[in-house]
């Protein structure tokens, strides 16, 4: 294979990839087996997504009671065995508290068993539990990520690697296995810091913008910065993706009524950890509005907003984070079905009309 993976499989501005993300949200009602049941539900949701035409499923890595997915590559392997076309990745893999060589090996293995459908999205994560869990000092938060991303980028050539850093012993002329047929695509996921955007461009990795607050239009500056930085580093244009929460139902009213109590409970609980105030209906309505960060509503409403976001940012991929708090499995399944059968065709028609 070539020294670097090709990214034409991930979507283009002319033909964007439309995917889904989940963290495996767990109902915090104390019931035994919630985590195991949630993991089985995630597999079922991904199998449905494959069947209804969704392009990508991303599983987020967390290490806390309210999310079930701590080992996304294991769950993705289970999904791979029951699907045939959907691309399989993360949203995100917390590279700072993992070993880049092990991450590469696991996703190269997933790529083999899924017949070339694996990719990985690398980030620092929005939660910090993994640092103490795996023996890392949170004071090294930034340096750990920068150093480990550098090693991961070196591995993508799939040739013997010699590398030296601060936090691990040197790597001297080591080949990592298994190798892949066409390279392992790796995205850099960012929350909106210029330094992270430029770093993604420096390593010639596609960019994923986590748009979970404000408006997608507010991230145009980061998309533009990324494209300028790619040119300055001498790299070709690469995909830009976007991750945002949402929910699809038959009508706008139904989607909002189903999602709001779970969204409010989750954000109020997280707010107690992070010093935010209680989540309100006003905040929800703003986020779910025409230019807010949440994609909530009927297939027509969600499709129109996705198409607007794709045009505004020049996206090659959109990823809807469809699971929120204790939103029931049945409602998540219906949201996945509507997304694949009705939202995606509408988005494609809207963009083709341009």
């Amino acid at each position: 294979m070539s020294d670097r993976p090709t990214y034409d499989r991930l979507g283009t501005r002319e033909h964007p990839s439309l995917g889904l993300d989940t963290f495996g949200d767990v109902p915090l009602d104390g019931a035994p087996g919630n985590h195991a049941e949630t993991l089985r539900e995630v597999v079922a949701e991904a199998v449905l997504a494959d069947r209804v035409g969704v392009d990508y499923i991303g599983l987020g890595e967390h290490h806390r009671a309210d999310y079930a997915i701590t080992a996304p590559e294991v769950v993705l392997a289970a999904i791979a065995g029951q699907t045939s076309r959907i691309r399989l990745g993360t949203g995100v893999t917390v590279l700072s508290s993992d070993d880049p060589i092990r991450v590469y090996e696991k996703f190269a293995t997933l790529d083999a068993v899924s017949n070339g459908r694996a990719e990985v999205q690398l980030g620092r994560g929005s939660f910090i539990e993994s640092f103490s869990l795996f023996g890392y000092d949170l004071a090294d938060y930034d340096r750990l990520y920068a150093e480990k991303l550098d090693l991961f980028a070196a591995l993508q050539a799939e040739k013997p690697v010699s590398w030296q850093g601060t936090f691990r012993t040197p790597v001297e002329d080591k080949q990592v296995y298994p190798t892949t047929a066409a390279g392992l695509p790796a995205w850099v996921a960012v929350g909106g810091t210029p330094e992270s955007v430029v770093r993604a461009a420096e390593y010639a990795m596609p960019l994923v913008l986590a748009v979970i607050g404000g408006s997608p239009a507010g991230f145009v500056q980061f998309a533009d910065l990324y494209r300028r930085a790619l040119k300055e580093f001498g790299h070709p244009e690469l995909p830009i993706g976007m991750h945002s929460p949402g929910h699809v139902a038959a009508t706008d009213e139904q989607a909002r009524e189903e999602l709001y109590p779970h969204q409010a409970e989750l954000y109020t609980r997280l707010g107690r950890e992070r010093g935010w105030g209680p989540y309100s209906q006003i905040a929800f309505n703003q986020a779910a509005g025409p230019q807010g960060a949440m994609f909530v509503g009927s297939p027509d409403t969600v499709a129109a907003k996705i198409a607007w976001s794709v045009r505004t940012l020049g996206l090659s991929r959109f990823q809807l984070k469809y699971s929120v708090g204790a939103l029931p499995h049945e409602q998540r399944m219906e949201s996945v079905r509507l997304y694949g059968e009705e939202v995606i065709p509408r988005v494609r028609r809207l963009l083709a009309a341009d």
Side-chain angles (χ1 to χ4, degrees):
M1 55 152 275
S2 62
D3 286 354
R4 301 283 290 182
T6 58
Y7 292 108
D8 54 355
R9 298 169 283 165
L10 308 185
T12 64
R13 286 210 229 185
E14 294 76 19
H15 302 285
S17 168
L18 298 169
L20 293 168
D21 288 336
T22 178
F23 300 163
D25 298 57
V26 176
L28 292 179
D29 57 8
N34 271 350
H35 289 86
E37 181 64 24
T38 296
L39 289 170
R40 290 189 289 270
E41 291 172 354
V42 167
V43 173
E45 290 154 12
V47 170
L48 174 61
D50 180 71
R51 179 161 58 82
V52 298
V54 177
D55 296 319
Y56 173 80
I57 184 73
L59 308 187
E61 173 195 347
H62 295 82
H63 301 270
R64 41 186 292 136
D66 39 5
Y67 302 114
I69 301 172
T70 61
E73 62 278 353
V74 177
V75 186
L76 290 166
I79 294 167
Q82 300 182 52
T83 58
S84 61
R85 48 163 301 281
I86 194 168
R87 293 198 62 80
L88 309 165
T90 53
V92 299
T93 291
V94 184
L95 188 64
S96 309
S97 55
D98 211 330
D99 184 88
I101 293 177
R102 288 297 288 147
V103 171
Y104 201 93
E105 289 176 337
K106 288 183 283 190
F107 280 89
T109 300
L110 175 66
D111 194 66
V113 300
S114 67
N115 196 25
R117 291 187 282 140
E119 55 189 76
V120 62
Q121 294 184 4
L122 305 170
R124 287 178 278 200
S126 59
F127 294 93
I128 60 174
E129 289 82 5
S130 64
F131 287 84
S132 60
L133 185 64
F134 298 119
Y136 293 100
D137 188 340
L138 193 58
D140 297 323
Y141 181 83
D142 291 317
R143 292 195 302 147
L144 278 166
Y145 179 69
E147 185 171 295
K148 292 187 177 193
L149 186 64
D150 186 63
L151 175 53
F152 191 96
L155 298 171
Q156 285 189 289
E158 297 194 342
K159 295 180 178 179
V161 170
S162 294
W163 180 92
Q164 186 169 346
T166 304
F167 296 100
R168 59 162 295 155
T169 56
V171 180
E172 297 182 4
D173 197 33
K174 296 294 185 182
Q175 176 74 56
V176 172
Y177 302 101
T179 55
T180 62
L184 178 65
W187 303 67
V188 170
V190 305
T193 63
E195 296 80 7
S196 295
V197 170
V198 172
R199 183 185 290 128
E202 180 181 3
Y203 287 113
M205 293 182 181
L207 180 74
V208 181
L209 296 166
V211 181
I212 57 176
S215 169
F219 287 75
V220 169
Q221 59 184 323
F222 296 111
D224 290 345
L225 172 62
Y226 176 68
R227 293 188 177 103
R228 290 198 306 272
L230 283 172
K231 289 182 180 179
E232 291 177 8
F233 286 118
H235 301 314
E237 182 169 322
L238 294 172
I240 297 177
M242 172 180 153
H243 153 106
S244 288
H247 179 59
V248 190
T251 67
D252 290 352
E253 182 180 23
Q254 180 183 346
R256 293 187 179 213
E257 287 179 353
E258 288 178 351
L259 184 62
Y260 173 72
H262 306 293
Q263 177 82 0
E265 189 280 329
L266 173 66
Y267 273 62
T268 298
R269 175 160 40 82
L270 294 178
R272 287 194 293 268
E273 296 180 15
R274 301 187 176 191
W276 308 335
Y279 194 75
S280 68
Q281 183 75 59
I282 293 174
F284 178 82
N285 291 343
Q286 290 176 337
Q291 295 193 11
M294 293 181 64
F295 291 68
V296 184
S298 68
D300 280 335
T301 296
V302 174
K305 193 169 180 179
I306 292 174
W308 167 75
S309 299
V310 168
R311 297 185 196 105
T312 300
L313 290 165
L315 299 177
S316 296
R317 177 182 288 172
F318 176 85
Q319 299 166 202
L320 180 76
K321 199 273 186 178
Y322 69 92
S323 61
V324 176
L327 187 72
H329 174 56
E330 294 75 16
Q331 292 178 10
R332 300 196 307 266
M333 289 286 277
E334 179 64 1
S335 183
V336 169
R337 185 190 70 79
L338 289 171
Y339 185 77
E341 293 183 348
E342 300 193 28
V343 173
I344 287 178
R346 283 170 166 80
V347 173
R348 301 211 188 285
R349 286 196 296 269
L350 288 168
L351 293 176
D354 292 342

